[in-house]
Amino acid sequence: MPPVIPRSPVSPARRRSASLLLSGTLLLAMTAAGPSVLGAAAATAPLAAQAAADTGPAVRVNQVGYLPDGPKRATVVTTATAPLGWQLRSSAGSTVASGTTVVHGSDAASGDSTHLVDFSAYTGTGTGFTLVVNGQASYPFDISAALYDGLRADSMSFFYQQRSGIAIDASLAGAGYARPAGHLGVAPNKGDTSVPCQAGVCDYSLDVRGGWYDAGDQGKYVVNGGIAAWQLVNSFERAKRAGTDAAVGDSTLRVPERGNAVPDVLDEARWELDFLLRMQVPAGKPLAGMAFHKIHDAQWTALPTRPELDAQQRELHKPSTAATLNLAATAAQCARVYAPYDAAFAARCLDAAKRAWTAAKANPNVLAPSTDNTGGGAYEDNQVGDEFYWAAAELFATTGESQYRDAVTSSSFHTAPADSPWWGGTSTLGRITLATVPGVGLPAEDLARLRTSLTTTADGYLTTMAGQGYDVPIAADGYVWGSNSSVANNAMVIAVAYELTGQQRYRTAALESIDYLLGRNALNRSYVTGYGEHAAENEHHRFWAHQNDASLPHPPAGSFAGGPNSGLQDPVALAQLTGCAPAKCYVDDIGSYSTNEVAVNWNAGLAWLAAFAADRTGVVTPPVTPKVLATPASVTVAEGSTATVAVRLSAAPAQNVTVAVARTSGDQDLSVTGGASLVFTPANWATAQQVTISAAQDTDTAAGTAAFAATGAGADGATFSATEADDDTPAAAACSVAYHVDSAWAGGFTATVTLKNTGQSPIPGWTLGWTFPGNQKITSGWNATVVQSGAAVTAKDSGWNGTVAPGATAGFGFQATFTGANTAPAQFTVNGAACA
C-alpha cells in the first residue's frame, strides 16, 4: 500500500505570509508516524544541498523555448569573474549566434553566482537549439511563433479535468485521465446534490454540484474559485480587445461543450460560475443573498482518493462577506461578457450579483475564521474592503449605475497604489477592469490615475527583475506558499501595462516571467507538468497521484506547481529542504503540499499568461480615438411631442470634442429641437447630455421614420433613429396578428409573433407595432429587426420575409425580460394601421 501523507490543517494553496508555520503538535504527530506517513525520502532527511543537487546544466533557459520576436535571455551559474563566451547552436550543432556573457554576480534569492546571456537579436526559428557557455550546454529548446499554443490549451484543459460533477471523457483528457463523475451522490459519494450545513450554520441542504475541485484536495471554495473564474473570463476580455479571441473561441479547447457557438474558455468558466451561483443563500433564508464560504469533506480526504470513491460527508460552511463579494464581482463580470452568447444566463448572473452586493452591504463583517480548517483550507480574510472595491468596479463596469460608481470612488482602494493580486487581495482586479473595459463612466482624471497606478506597479516589478540573476518579478523574501502564482499574477499586471501603453519593455518582462516558470530558475526546473526537459511531475493531488499509486496518472500536461516556499510548511519539505535558499525551497514530491500542490487560482494565472504570450499581434497600440455613444439607438416620438436620446463619449478625448446632431434622412416631421451641438471635454466625456427629438403635428396617418447622426472631429460618430407615433386615426388594415409565449421562466420569456394577410392584395413590406401593457423588455429578436422605446415596440421585416401574399403569414420571435405580470399586448398595427 502506498504511503498516505496527510494534508496540513492550515490553508494549503492559499497562504501569502511566510510567517505561517506548522504547529509543534502537528509536526510531532506527523513525524511520529514515521516513514509510513512521510515516505522513504523524508525518513532519510537529506541535507538541502543534497536535495537540490540534481539541477542539471549550469546554463538555465526557458526549456520550452522563445518567441522569434521576444526576449531571449538565459542565466549561467558560475563563479567566473570575467565574461565568458557563449554560442547558440542549432539542432545540427552549428553555431548560429555567439557573444559574451554579462557578469551579474550574486543572486540574493538563490545564493547563486550568475552571468546573464542575451541572444534576443537572433530571430531565426527551429527546434532543438542549445545555448553553450564555457563548454556546458543548456537543455534543448525551440524558437517558434507557435511556442505557447500548446501551453495555452493545456493550462486551460487543467480546469476541465478538475471539474466536479461530470465524467471526464478519455477522448478529451486522455485515457489515463478518464474517470466517472465525482460527488453526484452515486455511492459511495454522499454527493454535492443535497449538501447540509455544518452544525449550527443552517437547517437546510443545497444542491451545489459542479464547479472545480480547488486544489490537490476535493474541496470547493468560493473565494479561490472567484479569482480563478475571473482570470479565465478576463483573459477572454483581453483577447477580444486585442482581436485574438478566435484563438480561445468555439472548438479551440478540449471541453465537452465545443461546437455550441460559445467561446470554449467561457464554456469552461461557466462550469465554475454555475457552482458559484448555487452557493448563494436562497431567498427567504437567514442571510439571503450571501454566499456560503466553501464546501468540502468533514475531514481531510486521504491521499490518494479518486473523486468518485470519496465516501465522506460533504458540508457547507458559514457564509462570509468575502465569498459574497467574490460572487458579486464574478457574476457582474459574467453579465457583461456572456450577454452576446446567452442573454438569459447573463441576466441570471446580474440578478445574483446585485443580490450579493445588497447582502454584503447589509452584512459587511461576516468574516471567515482561521479556525475553520478541518477537512479544508480556512481561506480566512479579516479585511474585505478590497473585495467591496472589486465587486463595485465590476458592477459599475457592467451597469453604469451611480450606486456602484459611488462605491468605487469613495473606496480608499480607488486612490491607493495597485498591488499584487491574489485571492485575499482583489482590489487590483477591479482596477484592471476599470482601466481596460471600454466605456466605463469614470472622469478622465480617474481613469488616467488608475492606469498610471498599474503601470507604476509594473515598473516596480521591472526594477525588481533587473536586480536579479533570474529576472523574477518577486523579491527575495517573496518565496512563500504559491510563489509561482505571485510570479504569474505580477506578470499579468505587467502585461496589462503593455496593453495600456504599447511599450515593449512590459511585453518583454511578462515573457521573461514565463521564462522563469519554465526553467530559467535556480533549480533549472520547469514548474509546469509536461513542459520542459526537467519538469515537475509529482504535484500534490488526490487523483493525479502516480507517485503514491502506480495505477493512477501523473498530473496532466499544463498543471502548475505552487513553487518555492521558504516557510517549509509540510513534513516532506522540512525533512528535505531545511537550510535551503528561498528560491530553492521546492521539492517535486507528492507529499510536499506547501511547495508542490496545484490549485485552480494558480493555473488561472498561468492560463492568462500563456494566452497573452500566445498572441501574435506584435505591438499593441492602445485606443486613442473615443466613440460617440447614443442611447437608445432608436426612439419612438408621439406626434406633437418629444423624446430624448442620451449622448456621451466612450473614452476621454485628448481635447474638447464638439458633437453635432442632425437628421440625415427620413421624415422631415422628425427633427432635432434641443442638443444639436454638444461639447465634451477630457473631464466630462462620460457625462451623458440630452438630445431632444420632436415630431410635428400633421394630418396624415403615416408613422414616419428618420435617421440621425451624432458626429464630431476627434471622435468616431454614432447614428440613431426615430419613429413617429401617429395619432391620426388610420384605416383598418386587412391583417391579423397572433402573439404566443413559447417559454417562460423567472424573469424572462420567449415569444413568437405571426402576421397574417387577410386581404386580397400582397403586403409588400411590413412594420408591425404594439405597446406592452407591463414592463416587458426585449433583449434580442430573430427574423425581424425589433426595436423597443419605453413600452412601444416596432418590428420590421428582414427583407426576405417582407412580402406577405393574401392568406399567407410571416413570423418572427424575440426574447425578453419582465417582472410582475407578463400580459400580452392588446392591439397591433401594421405599417401604421390597426389590424382589423
Side-chain angles (χ1 to χ4, degrees):
M1 179 178 179
V4 176
I5 303 177
R7 281 285 298 273
S8 165
V10 296
S11 306
R14 315 26 179 176
R15 294 295 188 180
R16 291 298 306 272
S17 171
S19 65
L20 176 65
L21 297 174
L22 289 170
S23 70
T25 302
L26 174 66
L27 180 57
L28 288 172
M30 288 185 167
T31 306
S36 65
V37 171
L38 298 181
T44 60
L47 296 175
Q50 293 172 304
D54 184 21
T55 53
V59 183
R60 312 289 165 78
V61 297
N62 179 331
Q63 294 170 24
V64 176
Y66 299 88
L67 296 171
D69 66 342
K72 303 174 190 70
R73 301 225 301 164
T75 299
V76 184
V77 178
T78 175
T79 56
T81 57
L84 302 171
W86 61 261
Q87 301 84 41
L88 177 64
R89 294 180 181 171
S90 70
S91 59
S94 60
T95 298
V96 296
S98 61
T100 55
T101 65
V102 173
V103 179
H104 174 79
S106 178
D107 175 67
S110 65
D112 290 342
S113 181
T114 61
H115 288 204
L116 303 178
V117 176
D118 189 340
F119 56 105
S120 302
Y122 181 77
T123 58
T125 61
T127 61
F129 289 96
T130 54
L131 186 66
V132 179
V133 180
N134 206 28
Q136 295 192 59
S138 69
Y139 286 124
F141 57 87
D142 299 342
I143 302 177
S144 168
L147 189 77
Y148 291 110
D149 290 3
L151 181 58
R152 173 176 55 198
D154 284 342
S155 60
M156 289 186 178
S157 177
F158 170 92
F159 296 92
Y160 168 60
Q161 301 197 50
Q162 283 285 92
R163 286 190 189 186
S164 175
I166 187 174
I168 303 306
D169 191 332
S171 67
L172 297 174
Y177 298 96
R179 58 172 173 82
H183 298 97
L184 276 184
V186 178
N189 280 171
K190 299 296 188 296
D192 289 353
T193 56
S194 182
V195 180
C197 288
Q198 281 189 312
V201 172
C202 75
D203 59 359
Y204 55 89
S205 297
L206 275 188
D207 180 352
V208 290
R209 73 182 74 190
W212 300 318
Y213 296 124
D214 176 70
D217 63 322
Q218 292 164 11
K220 300 185 293 189
Y221 306 80
V222 171
V223 296
N224 218 39
I227 187 175
W230 182 91
Q231 283 189 294
L232 260 62
V233 176
N234 181 264
S235 174
F236 175 76
E237 284 193 282
R238 183 208 61 79
K240 196 165 187 177
R241 291 192 298 270
T244 59
D245 51 301
V248 287
D250 190 24
S251 298
T252 60
L253 302 177
R254 298 188 300 278
V255 296
E257 299 85 1
R258 51 190 291 131
N260 65 351
V262 176
D264 285 350
V265 65
L266 297 186
D267 283 325
E268 188 56 67
R270 180 168 178 168
W271 193 262
E272 178 69 7
L273 288 166
D274 277 326
F275 160 73
L276 296 176
L277 294 174
R278 291 187 182 106
M279 290 289 280
Q280 191 164 31
V281 177
K285 301 294 185 181
L287 299 178
M290 296 281 281
F292 287 99
H293 195 67
K294 57 179 181 169
I295 169 199
H296 53 66
D297 288 354
Q299 301 294 325
W300 282 103
T301 315
L303 188 158
T305 299
R306 295 174 62 103
E308 77 276 12
L309 300 180
D310 178 13
Q312 286 204 51
Q313 178 62 55
R314 309 278 275 177
E315 295 178 334
L316 286 166
H317 291 243
K318 182 181 177 181
S320 72
T321 305
T324 303
L325 291 166
N326 268 261
L327 173 60
T330 55
Q333 180 196 43
C334 161
R336 179 174 69 247
V337 179
Y338 285 78
Y341 308 102
D342 189 332
F345 179 59
R348 179 180 161 215
C349 282
L350 186 57
D351 175 69
K354 289 184 173 183
R355 287 189 290 113
W357 173 263
T358 300
K361 292 284 285 183
N363 302 278
N365 294 303
V366 181
L367 305 179
S370 61
T371 54
D372 186 13
N373 56 15
T374 299
Y379 279 107
E380 70 273 20
D381 192 348
N382 60 9
Q383 202 290 94
V384 295
D386 54 311
E387 282 87 2
F388 269 109
Y389 181 75
W390 176 33
E394 296 295 341
L395 280 159
F396 178 51
T398 298
T399 69
E401 293 180 15
S402 60
Q403 62 168 318
Y404 306 122
R405 179 198 61 218
D406 294 345
V408 164
T409 58
S410 64
S411 170
S412 61
F413 288 93
H414 192 52
T415 53
D419 58 7
S420 177
W422 62 292
W423 68 261
T426 58
S427 62
T428 294
L429 307 183
R431 192 180 303 268
I432 290 171
T433 290
L434 294 172
T436 59
V437 170
V440 172
L442 285 173
E445 57 269 24
D446 268 28
L447 281 175
R449 182 177 43 73
L450 284 171
R451 291 167 178 164
T452 298
S453 74
L454 289 166
T455 57
T456 298
T457 297
D459 288 337
Y461 295 144
L462 267 62
T463 299
T464 297
M465 295 172 74
Q468 299 179 350
Y470 293 100
D471 287 306
V472 197
I474 57 173
D477 62 357
Y479 291 87
V480 296
W481 204 315
S483 64
N484 282 345
S485 174
S486 296
V487 172
N489 288 344
N490 292 354
M492 178 183 72
V493 174
I494 295 170
V496 169
Y498 173 63
E499 178 184 355
L500 294 174
T501 67
Q503 295 181 19
Q504 277 292 330
R505 61 196 178 99
Y506 295 123
R507 179 174 182 261
T508 294
L511 294 173
E512 287 197 308
S513 300
I514 305 179
D515 293 345
Y516 165 82
L517 297 173
L518 294 177
R520 186 192 166 198
N521 54 55
L523 294 177
N524 207 14
R525 178 183 291 277
S526 168
Y527 292 114
V528 181
T529 303
Y531 283 83
E533 194 83 5
H534 186 218
E537 62 178 4
N538 294 305
E539 286 100 328
H540 181 84
H541 199 272
R542 294 303 191 274
F543 173 58
W544 305 327
H546 185 81
Q547 188 179 1
N548 275 24
D549 183 342
S551 71
L552 297 175
H554 285 292
S559 302
F560 190 31
N565 173 15
S566 60
L568 305 183
Q569 290 144 310
D570 65 73
V572 173
L574 277 169
Q576 296 197 37
L577 300 174
T578 298
C580 57
K584 295 180 178 178
C585 294
Y586 168 85
V587 57
D588 184 26
D589 189 294
I590 195 170
S592 185
Y593 45 78
S594 71
T595 75
N596 201 35
E597 191 168 18
V598 295
V600 290
N601 63 316
W602 298 346
N603 245 82
L606 175 68
W608 196 105
L609 197 54
F612 169 81
D615 276 358
R616 294 170 176 74
T617 57
V619 176
V620 174
T621 302
V624 294
T625 303
K627 297 179 180 180
V628 179
L629 304 177
T631 307
S634 179
V635 293
T636 299
V637 190
E639 189 176 277
S641 188
T642 63
T644 59
V645 173
V647 174
R648 68 178 183 90
L649 300 186
S650 65
Q655 56 191 9
N656 289 1
V657 172
T658 299
V659 173
V661 185
R663 184 184 64 248
T664 56
S665 64
D667 191 342
Q668 295 186 13
D669 285 347
L670 292 161
S671 61
V672 179
T673 55
S677 180
L678 308 173
V679 178
F680 295 92
T681 72
N684 81 343
W685 61 271
T687 302
Q689 301 184 48
Q690 301 300 314
V691 175
T692 302
I693 306 298
S694 297
Q697 188 72 51
D698 58 28
T699 59
D700 64 48
T701 61
T705 62
F708 295 82
T711 58
D716 294 332
T719 60
F720 62 92
S721 64
T723 300
E724 176 192 33
D726 198 273
D727 61 0
D728 300 294
T729 303
C735 58
S736 63
V737 176
Y739 177 98
H740 181 262
V741 173
D742 301 313
S743 63
W745 57 92
F749 69 100
T750 60
T752 298
V753 182
T754 304
L755 165 67
K756 182 175 182 179
N757 183 351
T758 61
Q760 301 301 310
S761 301
I763 299 175
W766 50 267
T767 299
L768 196 152
W770 72 84
T771 300
F772 276 127
N775 68 344
Q776 297 97 325
K777 301 293 182 185
I778 292 177
T779 58
S780 62
W782 49 93
N783 296 335
T785 302
V786 185
V787 176
Q788 182 171 355
S789 178
V793 179
T794 59
K796 179 171 176 47
D797 66 75
S798 295
W800 60 268
N801 61 351
T803 300
V804 186
T809 62
F812 62 93
F814 65 85
Q815 181 170 298
T817 62
F818 74 98
T819 58
N822 186 15
T823 306
Q827 180 66 51
F828 296 88
T829 62
V830 174
N831 298 336
C835 277

